[in-house]
Amino acid sequence: MLSVGLIEKDVNGDTLWVWCYPSISPELRDLLLSKCCLTQDSRDFHTLVFGQFSRTWYYITTVEVQEPTALNKVTHFSIAVTAKDFNPEKYAALSGILCRMYIKHGSPVKMMEAYITVLTKGICQNDENGSFLIKDYDVRKAYLAGSIKDVVSQFGMETIILYTALMLKKRIVVHHPRIEALLEFTRVLPALTWHRKDWYILHPYVHLTDAELEDLKKCPGYIAGFVDPEVSNRSDLFDVFVSLPDSVITVSQGAKEAMTMGKLHKDIAQVIVQSAEDAERSDSQVIKDISIKTKEVLTNLFALADECEDSKITLEVLKQHHFPPATENFLFHLAAAEQLLRI
Amino acid sequence: MEEVDKILIHALRQVGTEVGEDIDRVNQFTSELIVEAVVKCIRVIDPGLGGALPTSLPPGMSARFRVGMSLAQACQDIGYKGEIGYQTFLYSNEPEIRSLLMFLVEKLPRESSETSDQPTGKSAVLHRAIAAAITAQLAVSWVPLNCRLPLHCKTQSKAASHSFHVHPLSLPHCTKGQKSLKEVKHYQRDILFPVTAQFPSQTSMVSSILEQHTAELSNAQEWDTEWKSQGLLSRLTPQEYHSRKLTRLRKRIEEQLRSAAALGSAPSDLILTKGTHFTHTQKFTFTQEVAALTSPVHTGRQLEGDTQPRQQEELAFLQQQFQQLCSDVEQIAADMKHISVTNAQVFDELKQMELDNVENDEKMQVKKKTIDLLPDADSNLQKLQSQVEASANRVVNLASQWEKHRAPLIEEHRTLKEFCSSKDLESSRKLSEIKSLHEKIQVATEEAKKKEELYKQLVTELESLPQDVSRSAYTQRILEIVGNIKKQKEEISKILSDTKELQKEINSLTGKLDRSFAVTDELVFKDAKKDESVRKSYKYLAALHENCNLLIQTIEDTGTILREIRDLEEQIETENCNKTVANLERILDDYKVIRQENSTLAAKVREG
């Protein structure tokens, strides 16, 4: 965990950043204020919102203050927790505890005590006669918490486009007007490339501001979720555009060449769909199946690499095997993504 | 009566009747004058009726009689309700004539008196003539050259019309407060041409000036309305409002350009196409357009002639070159692809290594510190733990102290904000008041302008009005008369009330008298049966009563007779004015004349 901050909305309609520990840079502060649903004009109230900025995860929990409390003149408040790891459930639970403490005592001091105990000891007393233990919240559980089956059921065979884009470290942009749907959908996508276990490519909640887009451009491949429908015009930001409400996946012109698919893809797609449609298999089992298939492909690739000197593949080596052109292209780009290409 | 006569005579003079200078009372009018006056009035009031009537009495008696009758009829047609007949004109009397003339003068239409009222003021005449001419000219609509009648030629020029060509003007703007450079001032003062000399041709001068002026005017008006409606509400100074508007517009332009560029660069059907199906192999399969490799042209044909081998050689050579180029292009394309992919890979590797570096750095720091503390592991562990606890406590302590400072500050901030918003309400109310004041000012200035113009107009009209008839004198007199009448009315009502009082008193006294007499009468009569002296006194009482009654009666009769005398005297006076005797004599004379005429006419008829 890195820091915790408190944002309050008072009876005058102002949203202020009232308190934070230990300290948060002004840039991050502005970002968190913009992400907090209290600053946005629409009256949507989101209990939990999380996102990533510069490899820092932030989790914002918002609570409406019901009278009577020790907090007067405050109508809503949000607790923003920043951390290095991706674990929405853990931080949601922690924020819940902190929120309740704040409401009860009306002062952030108690909240801070709890935060420090969690920081130093990894455990904190829950006011509901339990305790919050960090080790209850394993990161793997967070990774597997999303539902891959829903993704497959929404897109069917087109899920292979997402799979290919993720394998080749391309830029995916997802759009949905509701933030909760966006968060739920995007958090499970990195699971398609389970062998990397890199959730830093996930930026589930991005606005079209310069600072955030700069940060996004630093990553070679990412999954970015936008609530703003304007993003569909920004073809400079994506290789694959997913419009969730319409269930449409579009590949941008520049990336079409790299994303061509062949028989190999069809195989993989079938595996994915079959596994997801099987009612007896759970989400984690589906992910396991996909990862097994991925491993197959990667093993083949490594085998090819081993044949060459200094275990780096070149295009000529690939050509020697006379793969079908789509597969050859895919393997070539995959090698680049897995850093197997000779430079 | 004199004033009335004066007014009547004046009105008759205006209508056109030649009333002599010495005549100033209606009873000096002769029959001829009366007839002339009446006919002239009727001619003005109703030209149709008046046209048939002669202005002077004919000599023959019967003709006169006829004229009198027709005049009477005409007056009745116009609407005179009083008793009128030939006698009114031939044998007139003052009151009748006065009432008739008053009626006719009242019936005269007003404009006639006005238009004949303004003869003399020269400047007034000129003004009116100019105004009439301009209105007439403006009323004529513009007609193209070919359709013009002579009517239009006076006001619409025959020169060829020019198209509306606008030439930009360069005007020195006098912006308040801004110091212009010396060079700019010098340029504006010495080098810049005056506006009339800035045009290549004279024809565009008027149109350019008009254009410039309307542009400036509409600009100022628009700014005015915008400022009044939105600018005041935003509570910024004009400069701030300007700058904010500017940034807003720039942002909008940027967005538009960006979206237009995005649409332009990528053909629209690629970005937002509908969903694909896997079966649509077109999208997924690798559609590489293989550069057409021309198969070498086999010249299986028989070579004919000398030039053929040379041509074929050239052809083969060119084909070879072409193939070479194609393969080069392919090679380069493949190279580019390769390089971009490897570039991506390298970038990725670099990033990964950087991150690994940072992580390893951190890990190393921690491990280093742990190794330093390792020799005395247990105690160090204890120390660390206690230190951690101590710093945790300290931090909590600091936090509570900070909270003591922070909470009141936040509270203050919030209360100030509330205060501010309540002030906002006030200020917005004041703003709306200011707006309404602005509007009122505008309305008031417009009204003031209008009233000023009206005032000027009326003043000039007043000056041009004739001075011979002083209306003010008349109005004064009228007001005096009204005042007098009011006083008289008061006096009359006083007298009436006095009379009523007196009458009441008389009644009550009479009643008292009767009652007391009745009582005394009874009393005395009762005693009269017994006593002789009482009987005598009773007789005296009765006689007294009788005589007093007679007295009273006589007094009343005297009063009545006096009243009758007064009435009769009045009647005598009015009848005297009627000059009945003179009229009767005239009537008798005229009667004799008519009889004579009748007899002559009868004799003529008998003869022929």
Side-chain angles (χ1 to χ4, degrees), chain B residues 164-177:
Chain B
F164 190 87
H165 207 66
V166 170
H167 192 77
L169 295 177
S170 146
L171 297 171
H173 286 283
C174 38
T175 47
K176 297 183 251 188

Side-chain angles (χ1 to χ4, degrees), chain B residues 43 55 102 141 154 189 194 301 314 362 396 407 425 433 437 482 493-494 568:
Chain B
R43 278 199 188 153
T55 45
M102 269 169 44
S141 49
K154 271 194 284 187
R189 195 175 40 221
R301 277 183 282 161
E314 266 187 61
E362 283 176 17
V396 171
L425 263 146
E433 264 178 49
L437 271 176
V482 166
S493 48
K494 223 193 294 174
L568 283 170

Side-chain angles (χ1 to χ4, degrees), chain B residues 186-246:
Chain B
H186 168 63
Y187 168 71
Q188 282 174 359
R189 195 175 40 221
D190 300 327
I191 299 178
L192 189 60
F193 286 135
V195 164
T196 42
Q198 279 184 26
F199 302 100
S201 76
Q202 279 301 100
T203 51
S204 49
M205 177 168 81
V206 176
S207 38
S208 309
I209 292 180
L210 273 175
E211 170 79 20
Q212 175 84 6
H213 184 253
T214 18
E216 280 182 17
L217 193 67
S218 63
N219 216 9
Q221 270 178 358
E222 255 193 59
W223 168 245
D224 220 7
T225 41
E226 193 184 335
W227 178 246
K228 288 220 177 80
S229 61
Q230 286 177 5
L232 284 176
L233 281 176
S234 67
R235 287 166 208 174
L236 302 165
T237 63
Q239 290 88 350
E240 277 180 31
Y241 185 73
H242 262 304
S243 56
R244 205 179 270 200
K245 197 176 169 193
L246 193 65

